[in-house]
C-alpha cells in the first residue's frame, strides 16, 4: 500500500486531548460505512514505542466536512477474509500537529505491511493430563463453592490461565503444603502427582482427596515401586527438577537414580547385585530420553524398561508440532512471557527449523518490520502466555488484510489391538 492509499478525514473531536493519539476501535468511513479496527493493538504498540500517549475509543460517529475544528483521522482500509472491510486508523486532536504526524506515521507503517497472509497455528500447549487436572480442580471448586468446604489445589498446578482465573473466582486456594490446609477441606493432587509421604500425610488428615494425577504418572509411580519391590534399582531418565521426579522417586526411597544426560550415566551407581530397571519420566521428550537410555543400556546391558508399553508422547508431539509449524512459516511468533523457560524452549524449537522467531508477550509487541516480507506466519503458544493472548494476536493480524488460518497438531495415538 502506498501513502496515497491513506485517507485523512475530519471526525468529531469529542474527548480527544492534545498530546494523545486515539486508536479507534470502530470508525465511521464515508466510503465503507461503519468499520471495526482489529489491528488497533498493533497501531497502539507502534505509537507507544515512540513514547506517544495512546487511548482506545469508538470513533464511529459520522465524519464531518473537512474543517479545522475537527480531529484528524488517518485511515487505510483492508479486506477481511470473512468478507467486508476493516480499518487501520489513528486520530489526533484539532490543531495538534505533533500527534497528527505520529498518528499518520503509525498508520503509514502498518499500511505498508497490509496484505493477504496465511497463519499456521500450533495446537494448545496443554497436554491431556494438565487439562484433566484443571477441569477436576474447577469442578471441585464449583461443587464446593459456598458449601463450607474450602478447596485447595496442591502445586505445581500447571494449568491454562483460564482455569487459574476460574479457580481464583471460585475461591479455591493453591498451596504447596498440607500445613496450610484446614480440617474438612477438599485437596486436589496435581497432574504430576505428589510424593508418597505427602499422600500418606493427606490420608492421616481430615481432608477429602481428589486425585488428578495423570494416569501416565500414576503408572510410572507404580512401576518404580514395583521394580524396587523386586529388588531392582530404578534409573529415572529425566530432569531432577521436573514436577514428576519426586512423586516417582519417592515410591522407592534410596532405589532411584535420576539421570538427565548421557554423560551422567557414568556416575550412576546402580545394581549392587540386584537388577536394574529404567523409566522414562512422563513429561520428558522421547527424543531427549533416547540417547540417555542408550548410554544406560551400554553401562547396564541387562537393564529393562520398568513400564514396557506406557510412554507419554505429549512433549514429543508438541515439539514436533512447533517444529513443523515453524518449517512452514516465514516468521514464527511465540506467544508467552519472555522470562519463562517454556517460552524460550518453544523459541529454540522454532529456530531449529531455520525460521525467524519473535517472542511476544502482547499483540502490541509485533512490529511492522517483522511482517514486511512475510506471507505465512506461524503462531505457537507457550504455557506462560496470558489467557486469550493467542486469540488477540490472531484478531489483530486479521485486521491487516485477508488472513487464512489453519491449525496443526501432531498427535500420537494408541492403536493397541488394531494391528492384530
Ligand atoms: S505425563 Fe504426559 S500427559 Fe500426563 S501430565 Fe505429564 S506431560 Fe501431560
Amino acid at each position: 500500500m502506498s501513502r496515497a492509499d491513506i485517507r485523512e478525514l475530519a471526525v468529531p473531536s469529542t474527548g480527544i486531548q492534545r498530546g494523545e493519539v486515539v486508536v479507534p476501535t470502530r470508525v465511521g468511513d464515508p466510503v465503507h460505512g461503519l468499520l471495526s479496527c482489529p489491528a488497533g493493538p498493533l497501531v497502539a504498540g507502534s505509537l507507544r514505542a515512540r513514547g506517544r500517549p495512546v487511548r482506545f475509543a469508538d470513533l464511529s460517529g459520522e465524519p464531518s466536512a473537512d474543517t479545522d475544528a475537527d480531529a484528524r483521522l488517518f485511515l487505510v482500509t483492508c479486506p477481511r477474509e470473512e468478507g467486508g472491510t476493516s480499518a487501520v486508523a489513528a486520530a489526533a486532536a484539532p490543531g495538534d500537529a505533533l500527534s497528527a504526524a505520529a498518528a499518520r506515521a503509525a498508520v503509514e507503517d502498518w499500511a505498508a505491511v497490509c496484505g493477504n497472509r496465511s497463519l499456521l497455528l500450533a495446537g494448545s500447549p496443554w497436554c491431556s493430563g494438565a487439562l484433566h487436572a484443571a477441569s477436576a480442580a474447577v469442578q471441585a471448586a464449583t461443587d464446593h463453592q459456598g458449601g463450607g468446604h474450602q478447596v485447595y489445589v496442591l502445586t505445581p498446578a500447571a494449568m491454562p490461565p483460564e482455569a487459574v482465573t476460574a479457580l481464583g473466582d471460585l475461591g479455591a486456594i493453591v498451596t504447596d503444603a498440607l500445613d496450610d490446609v484446614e480440617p474438612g477441606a477438599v485437596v486436589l493432587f496435581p497432574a504430576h502427582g505428589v510424593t508418597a509421604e505427602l499422600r500418606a500425610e493427606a490420608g492421616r488428615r481430615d481432608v477429602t482427596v481428589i486425585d488428578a494425577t495423570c494416569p501416565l504418572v500414576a503408572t510410572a509411580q507404580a512401576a518404580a515401586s514395583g521394580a524396587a519391590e523386586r529388588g531392582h534399582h530404578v534409573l529415572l531418565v529425566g530432569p531432577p527438577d521436573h514436577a514428576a521426579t519426586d512423586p516417582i522417586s519417592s515410591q522407592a526411597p534410596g532405589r532411584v537414580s535420576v539421570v538427565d544426560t548421557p554423560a551422567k550415566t557414568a556416575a550412576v551407581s546402580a545394581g549392587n547385585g540386584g537388577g536394574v530397571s529404567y523409566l522414562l519420566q512422563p513429561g520428558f521428550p522421547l527424543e531427549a530420553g533416547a540417547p540417555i537410555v542408550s548410554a544406560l543400556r551400554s553401562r547396564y546391558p541387562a537393564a529393562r524398561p520398568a513400564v514396557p508399553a506406557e510412554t507419554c508422547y505429549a512433549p514429543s508431539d508438541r515439539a514436533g508440532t512447533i517444529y513443523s509449524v515453524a518449517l512452514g512459516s516465514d516468521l514464527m511468533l511465540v506467544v508467552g512471557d519472555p522470562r519463562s523457560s517454556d517460552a524460550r524452549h518453544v523459541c529454540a524449537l522454532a529456530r531449529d527449523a531455520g525460521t525467524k522467531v519473535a517472542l511476544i508477550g502482547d499483540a502490541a509487541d509485533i512490529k511492522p518490520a517483522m511482517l514486511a516480507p512475510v506471507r505465512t506466519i506461524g503462531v505457537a503458544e507457550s504455557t506462560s502466555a496470558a489467557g486469550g493472548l493467542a486469540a488477540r494476536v490472531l484478531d489483530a493480524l486479521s485486521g491487516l488484510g485477508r488472513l487464512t488460518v489453519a491449525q496443526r497438531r501432531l498427535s500420537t495415538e494408541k492403536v493397541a489391538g488394531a494391528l492384530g
Side-chain angles (χ1 to χ4, degrees):
M1 244 172 236
S2 68
R3 281 167 174 260
D5 295 316
I6 296 168
R7 286 181 287 138
E8 181 176 347
L9 302 174
V11 292
S13 61
T14 326
I16 303 182
Q17 305 296 315
R18 290 179 71 85
E20 72 173 0
V21 175
V22 164
V23 174
T25 52
R26 297 194 305 172
V27 292
D29 178 6
V31 179
H32 297 93
L34 186 64
L35 299 179
S36 64
C37 307
L42 305 177
V43 178
S46 294
L47 287 159
R48 289 194 176 114
R50 293 185 181 126
R52 279 275 142 196
V54 175
R55 188 165 58 82
F56 289 95
D58 188 336
L59 298 183
S60 57
E62 280 296 305
S64 65
D66 188 4
T67 69
D68 288 345
D70 292 314
R72 315 308 300 172
L73 172 71
F74 301 93
L75 165 146
V76 69
T77 55
C78 304
R80 305 209 68 180
E81 176 63 14
E82 60 273 32
T85 304
S86 61
V88 178
D96 185 350
L98 275 179
S99 297
R104 173 183 267 283
V107 174
E108 279 178 357
D109 285 352
W110 286 104
V113 294
C114 281
N116 300 341
R117 291 190 174 85
S118 302
L119 189 141
L120 205 46
L121 185 63
S124 163
W126 298 100
C127 66
S128 58
L131 292 175
H132 167 73
S135 137
V138 172
Q139 188 61 55
T142 306
D143 291 347
H144 293 279
Q145 193 187 24
H149 297 291
Q150 178 65 55
V151 173
Y152 291 85
V153 179
L154 289 178
T155 55
M159 55 181 69
E162 294 80 7
V164 174
T165 304
L167 286 173
D169 292 345
L170 290 165
I173 296 173
V174 177
T175 181
D176 59 2
L178 281 176
D179 294 344
D180 301 335
V181 173
E182 62 196 42
V186 175
V187 177
L188 184 119
F189 291 172
H192 278 133
V194 296
T195 61
E197 298 79 23
L198 198 147
R199 183 179 289 274
E201 176 63 24
R204 286 191 289 272
R205 289 185 177 226
D206 173 24
V207 295
T208 301
V209 169
I210 296 176
D211 188 356
T213 305
C214 172
L216 292 167
V217 176
T219 302
Q221 287 177 314
S225 167
E229 279 169 15
R230 292 193 302 278
H232 280 213
H233 192 90
V234 179
L235 304 172
L236 181 59
V237 176
D241 57 354
H242 190 278
T245 303
D246 288 346
I248 294 170
S249 56
S250 67
Q251 305 299 320
R255 285 191 169 271
V256 176
S257 298
V258 183
V259 195
D260 62 346
T261 65
K264 285 187 187 165
T265 57
V268 169
S269 171
N272 294 330
V276 176
S277 295
Y278 61 85
L279 189 54
L280 189 64
Q281 187 171 273
F284 190 52
L286 212 55
E287 311 73 53
I292 304 171
V293 169
S294 174
L296 287 172
R297 276 179 169 157
S298 301
R299 177 121 192 255
Y300 299 103
R304 291 289 173 267
V307 196
E310 293 294 337
T311 302
C312 169
Y313 293 102
S316 302
D317 287 348
R318 185 181 177 214
T321 300
I322 292 163
Y323 184 82
S324 67
V325 165
L327 213 52
S329 306
D330 306 314
L331 167 72
M332 189 75 169
L333 294 178
V334 176
V335 178
D337 184 337
R339 295 163 299 183
S340 134
S341 57
D342 181 72
R344 289 194 295 274
H345 173 61
V346 175
C347 288
L349 287 169
R351 282 194 196 96
D352 283 349
T355 307
K356 199 166 61 172
V357 176
L359 173 55
I360 56 169
D362 193 88
D365 294 340
I366 303 172
K367 303 290 174 247
M370 292 179 188
L371 303 185
V374 168
R375 297 304 302 269
T376 303
I377 303 170
V379 174
E381 212 180 336
S382 158
T383 53
S384 64
L389 178 54
R392 291 197 294 279
V393 167
L394 258 63
D395 192 44
L397 292 170
S398 76
L400 296 177
R402 289 196 176 91
L403 188 72
T404 57
V405 180
Q407 177 164 290
R408 181 173 288 184
R409 177 169 197 153
L410 303 186
S411 173
T412 305
E413 308 287 351
K414 230 178 178 177
V415 291
L419 304 177

